[in-house]
Amino acid sequence: MLLVNFSRVSKDYAGNPVFRDLDLDILEGARIGLVGENGSGKSTLFKLLCGLETPTSGQIARKRNLTIGLLQQEVDISEYSKTIFEAVSTASAELPGLAKRLGDLETRMAASEVVADADLLERVLAEYSQVQARYEALGGYTLNYRVEAVLNGLGFASHEHTHLVGSLSGGEKKLVNLAKILLRQPDLLLLDEPDNHLDIEAKAWLEQYIRDYHGTVVIISHDRHLLDRAVTKIIELEDGTLSEYAGSYSFFVEERQLRLERRKETHYLQQEEIKRLKESMHQLKGWARMNSKFAARARNMERRVDKARSEAIARPIMTRDRINVDLDAERSGKKVLEIKGLSKELGGHLLFAPFDLLLMYGERVGIVGPNGSGKTTLLKTMLGLLPPTTGSVKIGASVSVGYYSQEQETLPFEKTPVDYIRDLKKLTEPQAISFLRGLLFTYEDLRTPIARLSGGEKSRLQFARLMLTESNFLLLDEPTNNLDIASIEVLEGALDDFEGTLLTVSHDQYFLNRNVTKILALEPGGRVRVYPGNYADYLEQRAR
């Protein structure tokens, strides 16, 4: 069954087109991944789907009584005084009213005047039965169980369910919104980067939830593993147009390249045919100047040239502009990092028990563990930004440390990108601008205070710092979180070429499988264990 239909839908902002003449059908039961570079219009498309935005032109038709849920990025401030459990429990606007009505009817049924009047009692019982059926259909009797299951699945421990929403971090508030939208169970579920603040186990839970969901799901995500596991169709939004691929993300990557190659070949053949027709047209026009009987044939050939031009496909863009990341640096000494008996407690809670670690030049280590297990704290303790509870950290000779912060607090938010870059390295203004343009900053971005830049732009500035400081020991905390897939692939390529030492926290399985050769796992009880191999090898060893 068709849920939503776009017919020649266009959307402009201040006269600037986001996309033009889109046609799109979303069918019942579909599992769709929406992909495209940052700024391509994916979130705008979601707003059009659920009616938060109206098209500049074209028609959007929706199935009658269709319920649509859109994951919001911000929590309503009125929810701040509620506990996490209370906020998620009120996901269905109808359930609290039904619960109150059931209570009122139960009180009425016990009233002496109702008990004494058989007709009135029958009417009250009939209404009670009707309200009870609706309450049961909406899952009222299993609500508490479902709230607990969703919160636990998304990584909220049971003791955290009573925490006030207002006390949560920005990422945790977004997870509360995700829990609410999952509990609401709309016919069409629109998830805009729901996995950004999920650890690997919570992502696995979300993958299964999407696969089992009773309705239709469209998800925007930059996590290639999740897109491979959870969706059966990829829709790419590029240059204001949509392209559909029936399959997983891996299928999309291969099929997209094949389509580009076919378009390139078709374009070449069409241009060769146009060239041949133009040569015939010019020849006929030359003959017509000497003999008028060729004039009609020349005009006919000109019409054929015009028709061939109008039907020719545009030359496909085989290689897109991507950020330029070069992490090359001078070699350090053999021993890069030596940890002895390192442990850390916060607020009486043991994050990691004493452990030893020796990191040699060129090693690539991924740090994994559930949210809240202490991964970021471990990095900061290694860097000396936090004091250890016990133990010591020693950085080796000739080691230049480069730190990428998940929260991006290392950036001077009051400065502009140009000023920041020139503080890092002695560059002329034109040199700084040229460098930043290689990271796809616009001229407007260059003069904008860093505080007003997007998360992706701030991430690119952190990579700029790593490049300019020529760090040979990289400590990266969730480096892929704010990047689109194209930029993640550039980063992976840069790390392939990087000959130094890498220590990275990540929940991106593709990234870990490609870029690390050892896993440092923070396990329950504060135990720290090292596993040889990438993340797939780690999973296999843990299963055994």
Side-chain angles (χ1 to χ4, degrees):
M1 181 181 293
L2 185 63
L3 298 186
V4 183
N5 168 258
F6 278 29
S7 178
R8 298 185 65 79
V9 168
S10 299
K11 182 64 180 178
D12 297 349
Y13 284 118
N16 298 313
V18 181
F19 32 71
R20 281 273 179 266
D21 297 330
L22 294 189
D23 292 322
L24 173 66
D25 289 336
I26 294 182
L27 302 178
E28 188 174 15
R31 302 285 183 272
I32 299 170
L34 181 61
V35 302
E37 294 183 356
N38 286 343
S40 60
K42 301 186 297 295
S43 295
T44 299
L45 184 63
F46 265 20
K47 290 175 183 177
L48 288 169
L49 278 169
C50 65
L52 290 178
E53 298 268 4
T54 56
T56 305
S57 64
Q59 299 295 322
I60 300 177
R62 300 177 185 85
K63 174 191 166 188
R64 181 174 294 182
N65 299 323
L66 177 69
T67 56
I68 302 176
L70 172 65
L71 174 62
Q72 301 286 343
Q73 303 299 318
E74 301 295 332
V75 172
D76 190 328
I77 196 169
S78 65
E79 307 247 85
Y80 280 20
S81 59
K82 296 179 182 177
T83 67
I84 295 172
F85 194 94
E86 289 169 343
V88 177
S89 297
T90 58
S92 172
E94 195 175 350
L95 274 177
L98 291 172
K100 183 178 184 306
R101 186 59 183 155
L102 285 174
D104 292 344
L105 289 170
E106 288 166 359
T107 302
R108 284 201 70 195
M109 283 188 287
S112 56
E113 66 272 17
V114 175
V115 173
D117 188 333
D119 290 339
L120 179 57
L121 179 60
E122 185 176 347
R123 290 196 298 275
V124 172
L125 285 171
E127 184 182 355
Y128 184 85
S129 178
Q130 186 179 24
V131 174
Q132 187 181 47
R134 178 62 178 165
Y135 186 73
E136 185 175 4
L138 291 174
Y141 292 112
T142 61
L143 179 63
N144 288 353
Y145 166 78
R146 291 187 294 117
V147 170
E148 286 183 4
V150 169
L151 288 176
N152 291 339
L154 292 176
F156 287 107
S158 297
H159 70 273
E160 295 174 321
H161 296 183
T162 55
H163 291 182
L164 293 180
V165 173
S167 69
L168 303 179
S169 69
E172 289 169 329
K173 288 172 184 171
K174 181 177 176 179
L175 292 185
V176 170
N177 274 341
L178 177 56
K180 289 174 66 175
I181 204 75
L182 295 181
L183 257 294
R184 201 170 294 155
Q185 297 190 325
D187 301 326
L188 176 57
L189 184 60
L190 304 176
L191 301 177
D192 190 349
E193 298 189 29
D195 50 301
N196 250 8
H197 300 279
L198 298 182
D199 57 33
I200 291 176
E201 282 148 5
K203 284 185 181 184
W205 180 88
L206 180 62
E207 290 165 11
Q208 188 63 49
Y209 188 96
I210 292 171
R211 287 199 297 270
D212 296 341
Y213 192 67
H214 76 281
T216 301
V217 182
V218 186
I219 178 171
I220 298 171
S221 176
H222 299 147
D223 189 304
R224 294 155 292 178
H225 182 82
L226 186 147
L227 291 174
D228 260 349
R229 303 263 298 172
V231 309
T232 56
K233 176 189 280 190
I234 296 290
I235 296 179
E236 182 185 35
L237 181 56
E238 183 178 67
D239 297 333
T241 62
L242 291 176
S243 301
E244 298 189 15
Y245 300 80
S248 66
Y249 180 80
S250 294
F251 170 81
F252 152 74
V253 171
E254 294 181 8
E255 178 64 19
R256 182 181 186 275
Q257 188 60 34
L258 287 174
R259 290 188 191 182
L260 277 174
E261 294 291 345
R262 287 196 292 266
R263 282 178 62 86
K264 179 182 177 182
E265 179 65 19
T266 300
H267 173 78
Y268 172 78
L269 293 174
Q270 286 176 337
Q271 294 305 309
E272 286 295 302
E273 177 64 7
I274 291 170
K275 181 181 176 182
R276 185 187 68 80
L277 293 174
K278 284 174 67 178
E279 288 173 353
S280 296
M281 178 188 71
H282 292 312
Q283 189 177 55
L284 287 168
K285 283 185 174 182
W287 291 347
R289 283 193 290 270
M290 295 181 290
N291 188 336
S292 61
K293 70 177 185 179
F294 289 104
R297 291 176 62 184
R299 287 194 297 272
N300 183 53
M301 185 59 69
E302 189 170 16
R303 285 193 290 270
R304 286 182 64 185
V305 170
D306 290 341
K307 185 173 185 293
R309 280 174 170 165
S310 66
E311 292 177 350
I313 64 172
R315 182 175 183 175
I317 301 172
M318 303 301 290
T319 305
R320 298 264 164 184
D321 287 340
R322 292 189 170 191
I323 59 173
N324 179 25
V325 178
D326 182 357
L327 299 171
D328 191 28
E330 295 292 326
R331 183 186 172 96
S332 71
K334 285 186 178 180
K335 190 182 290 186
V336 173
L337 177 73
E338 186 174 15
I339 288 174
K340 290 187 176 180
L342 188 69
S343 71
K344 182 68 178 178
E345 289 185 14
L346 277 179
H349 174 63
L350 178 67
L351 290 178
F352 43 89
F355 74 99
D356 299 338
L357 178 70
L358 180 61
L359 204 57
M360 304 300 288
Y361 177 78
E363 286 198 276
R364 294 163 177 264
V365 180
I367 302 176
V368 302
N371 283 341
S373 60
K375 301 183 296 298
T376 296
T377 300
L378 176 56
L379 281 189
K380 289 183 175 180
T381 305
M382 290 177 178
L383 288 163
L385 299 175
L386 292 174
T389 301
T390 65
S392 63
V393 178
K394 183 179 179 182
I395 302 293
S398 304
V399 173
S400 172
V401 177
Y403 175 48
Y404 178 102
S405 166
Q406 178 186 176
E407 299 299 327
Q408 300 172 333
E409 74 273 9
T410 55
L411 296 173
F413 290 145
E414 74 285 356
K415 293 188 176 181
T416 67
V418 169
D419 292 337
Y420 176 51
I421 292 304
R422 296 186 70 189
D423 286 346
L424 290 172
K425 190 168 185 177
K426 192 173 182 181
L427 297 173
T428 66
E429 185 167 304
Q431 286 174 327
I433 290 172
S434 176
F435 175 78
L436 288 168
R437 292 288 288 162
L439 289 165
L440 301 188
F441 283 92
T442 67
Y443 286 107
E444 183 180 353
D445 295 334
L446 301 179
R447 301 299 183 188
T448 300
I450 293 172
R452 285 165 38 198
L453 297 179
S454 69
E457 289 161 344
K458 290 172 184 171
S459 293
R460 283 182 263 145
L461 269 184
Q462 291 206 72
F463 291 128
R465 184 183 68 247
L466 298 179
M467 293 161 65
L468 293 176
T469 54
E470 299 181 355
S471 307
N472 52 30
F473 179 29
L474 301 179
L475 290 91
L476 310 181
D477 191 359
E478 297 280 10
T480 64
N481 254 9
N482 293 299
L483 301 179
D484 57 30
I485 292 175
S487 298
I488 292 172
E489 290 171 347
V490 170
L491 174 60
E492 289 172 340
L495 289 172
D496 283 343
D497 297 334
F498 176 63
E499 295 181 355
T501 309
L502 173 66
L503 191 62
T504 180
V505 173
S506 181
H507 296 304
D508 186 325
Q509 293 193 41
Y510 261 67
F511 180 80
L512 289 171
N513 282 331
R514 176 167 174 178
N515 290 287
V516 308
T517 56
K518 188 180 289 185
I519 294 292
L520 183 74
L522 274 61
E523 299 181 340
R527 184 172 62 174
V528 179
R529 291 186 62 184
V530 176
Y531 297 81
N534 62 17
Y535 189 78
D537 298 324
Y538 156 71
L539 287 179
E540 187 178 329
Q541 292 172 73
R542 198 175 67 168
R544 288 203 303 266

